[in-house]
mmCIF file of all heavy atoms in Angstrom:
data_model
loop_
_atom_site.group_PDB
_atom_site.id
_atom_site.type_symbol
_atom_site.label_atom_id
_atom_site.label_comp_id
_atom_site.label_asym_id
_atom_site.label_seq_id
_atom_site.Cartn_x
_atom_site.Cartn_y
_atom_site.Cartn_z
ATOM 1 N N HIS B 673 115.284 10.886 -109.290
ATOM 2 C CA HIS B 673 115.915 12.172 -109.021
ATOM 3 C C HIS B 673 117.332 12.216 -109.612
ATOM 4 O O HIS B 673 117.740 13.168 -110.273
ATOM 5 C CB HIS B 673 115.960 12.328 -107.519
ATOM 6 C CG HIS B 673 116.500 13.654 -107.040
ATOM 7 N ND1 HIS B 673 116.014 14.838 -107.512
ATOM 8 C CD2 HIS B 673 117.466 13.947 -106.156
ATOM 9 C CE1 HIS B 673 116.681 15.807 -106.944
ATOM 10 N NE2 HIS B 673 117.565 15.309 -106.111
ATOM 11 N N ILE B 726 122.170 19.281 -108.252
ATOM 12 C CA ILE B 726 121.296 18.229 -107.727
ATOM 13 C C ILE B 726 121.699 18.046 -106.287
ATOM 14 O O ILE B 726 122.855 17.816 -105.977
ATOM 15 C CB ILE B 726 121.475 16.889 -108.467
ATOM 16 C CG1 ILE B 726 120.908 16.948 -109.892
ATOM 17 C CG2 ILE B 726 120.799 15.764 -107.707
ATOM 18 C CD1 ILE B 726 120.951 15.645 -110.639
ATOM 19 N N CYS B 727 120.747 18.234 -105.411
ATOM 20 C CA CYS B 727 121.055 17.966 -104.001
ATOM 21 C C CYS B 727 119.818 17.342 -103.347
ATOM 22 O O CYS B 727 118.737 17.328 -103.885
ATOM 23 C CB CYS B 727 121.499 19.234 -103.300
ATOM 24 S SG CYS B 727 120.309 20.519 -103.346
ATOM 25 N N GLY B 728 120.045 16.797 -102.198
ATOM 26 C CA GLY B 728 118.969 16.146 -101.491
ATOM 27 C C GLY B 728 119.501 14.883 -100.816
ATOM 28 O O GLY B 728 120.701 14.740 -100.593
ATOM 29 N N GLY B 729 118.557 13.972 -100.541
ATOM 30 C CA GLY B 729 118.987 12.703 -99.945
ATOM 31 C C GLY B 729 119.513 12.804 -98.542
ATOM 32 O O GLY B 729 120.117 11.885 -98.047
ATOM 33 N N TRP B 730 119.214 13.946 -97.867
ATOM 34 C CA TRP B 730 119.767 14.117 -96.494
ATOM 35 C C TRP B 730 119.211 13.058 -95.533
ATOM 36 O O TRP B 730 119.834 12.749 -94.518
ATOM 37 C CB TRP B 730 119.470 15.531 -95.983
ATOM 38 C CG TRP B 730 118.035 15.926 -96.121
ATOM 39 C CD1 TRP B 730 117.489 16.599 -97.133
ATOM 40 C CD2 TRP B 730 116.979 15.593 -95.229
ATOM 41 N NE1 TRP B 730 116.137 16.766 -96.973
ATOM 42 C CE2 TRP B 730 115.809 16.151 -95.796
ATOM 43 C CE3 TRP B 730 116.866 14.925 -94.026
ATOM 44 C CZ2 TRP B 730 114.546 16.046 -95.198
ATOM 45 C CZ3 TRP B 730 115.587 14.785 -93.432
ATOM 46 C CH2 TRP B 730 114.496 15.344 -94.009
ATOM 47 N N TRP B 731 118.056 12.477 -95.906
ATOM 48 C CA TRP B 731 117.421 11.534 -95.003
ATOM 49 C C TRP B 731 118.135 10.154 -95.080
ATOM 50 O O TRP B 731 117.979 9.336 -94.208
ATOM 51 C CB TRP B 731 115.947 11.361 -95.318
ATOM 52 C CG TRP B 731 115.650 11.073 -96.743
ATOM 53 C CD1 TRP B 731 115.498 9.846 -97.320
ATOM 54 C CD2 TRP B 731 115.530 12.007 -97.813
ATOM 55 N NE1 TRP B 731 115.280 9.933 -98.647
ATOM 56 C CE2 TRP B 731 115.280 11.278 -98.990
ATOM 57 C CE3 TRP B 731 115.602 13.373 -97.890
ATOM 58 C CZ2 TRP B 731 115.126 11.859 -100.230
ATOM 59 C CZ3 TRP B 731 115.421 13.979 -99.129
ATOM 60 C CH2 TRP B 731 115.184 13.266 -100.280
ATOM 61 N N VAL B 732 118.905 9.903 -96.113
ATOM 62 C CA VAL B 732 119.652 8.654 -96.229
ATOM 63 C C VAL B 732 121.145 8.952 -96.331
ATOM 64 O O VAL B 732 121.936 8.619 -95.455
ATOM 65 C CB VAL B 732 119.203 7.825 -97.470
ATOM 66 C CG1 VAL B 732 119.861 6.445 -97.406
ATOM 67 C CG2 VAL B 732 117.714 7.699 -97.575
ATOM 68 N N ARG B 733 121.489 9.590 -97.410
ATOM 69 C CA ARG B 733 122.922 9.878 -97.665
ATOM 70 C C ARG B 733 122.916 11.221 -98.407
ATOM 71 O O ARG B 733 122.427 11.309 -99.514
ATOM 72 C CB ARG B 733 123.525 8.782 -98.531
ATOM 73 C CG ARG B 733 125.004 8.945 -98.777
ATOM 74 C CD ARG B 733 125.501 7.665 -99.430
ATOM 75 N NE ARG B 733 124.807 7.368 -100.685
ATOM 76 C CZ ARG B 733 125.236 7.804 -101.872
ATOM 77 N NH1 ARG B 733 126.338 8.499 -101.947
ATOM 78 N NH2 ARG B 733 124.576 7.481 -102.951
ATOM 79 N N GLU B 734 123.424 12.208 -97.717
ATOM 80 C CA GLU B 734 123.338 13.546 -98.308
ATOM 81 C C GLU B 734 124.131 13.630 -99.600
ATOM 82 O O GLU B 734 125.178 13.019 -99.741
ATOM 83 C CB GLU B 734 123.856 14.582 -97.324
ATOM 84 C CG GLU B 734 123.393 15.963 -97.712
ATOM 85 C CD GLU B 734 123.804 17.034 -96.717
ATOM 86 O OE1 GLU B 734 124.250 16.665 -95.620
ATOM 87 O OE2 GLU B 734 123.668 18.212 -97.063
ATOM 88 N N LEU B 735 123.586 14.426 -100.529
ATOM 89 C CA LEU B 735 124.139 14.466 -101.860
ATOM 90 C C LEU B 735 124.069 15.884 -102.359
ATOM 91 O O LEU B 735 123.077 16.582 -102.197
ATOM 92 C CB LEU B 735 123.258 13.564 -102.721
ATOM 93 C CG LEU B 735 123.765 13.186 -104.074
ATOM 94 C CD1 LEU B 735 123.991 11.685 -104.071
ATOM 95 C CD2 LEU B 735 122.693 13.517 -105.078
ATOM 96 N N HIS B 736 125.169 16.373 -102.923
ATOM 97 C CA HIS B 736 125.155 17.736 -103.480
ATOM 98 C C HIS B 736 126.155 17.704 -104.638
ATOM 99 O O HIS B 736 127.351 17.616 -104.488
ATOM 100 C CB HIS B 736 125.612 18.727 -102.415
ATOM 101 C CG HIS B 736 125.467 20.160 -102.893
ATOM 102 N ND1 HIS B 736 125.643 21.234 -102.079
ATOM 103 C CD2 HIS B 736 125.197 20.652 -104.093
ATOM 104 C CE1 HIS B 736 125.467 22.338 -102.774
ATOM 105 N NE2 HIS B 736 125.207 22.003 -104.001
ATOM 106 N N ARG B 737 125.584 17.736 -105.853
ATOM 107 C CA ARG B 737 126.414 17.700 -107.060
ATOM 108 C C ARG B 737 126.163 18.934 -107.902
ATOM 109 O O ARG B 737 124.985 19.304 -108.117
ATOM 110 C CB ARG B 737 126.075 16.466 -107.907
ATOM 111 C CG ARG B 737 126.377 15.152 -107.275
ATOM 112 C CD ARG B 737 125.908 14.072 -108.209
ATOM 113 N NE ARG B 737 126.062 12.725 -107.641
ATOM 114 C CZ ARG B 737 125.552 11.652 -108.182
ATOM 115 N NH1 ARG B 737 124.868 11.743 -109.313
ATOM 116 N NH2 ARG B 737 125.726 10.463 -107.634
#
Side-chain angles (χ1 to χ4, degrees):
Chain B
H673 184 52
I726 289 184
C727 58
W730 52 265
W731 53 93
V732 189
R733 185 169 58 92
E734 197 176 350
L735 193 115
H736 187 171
R737 295 176 184 172

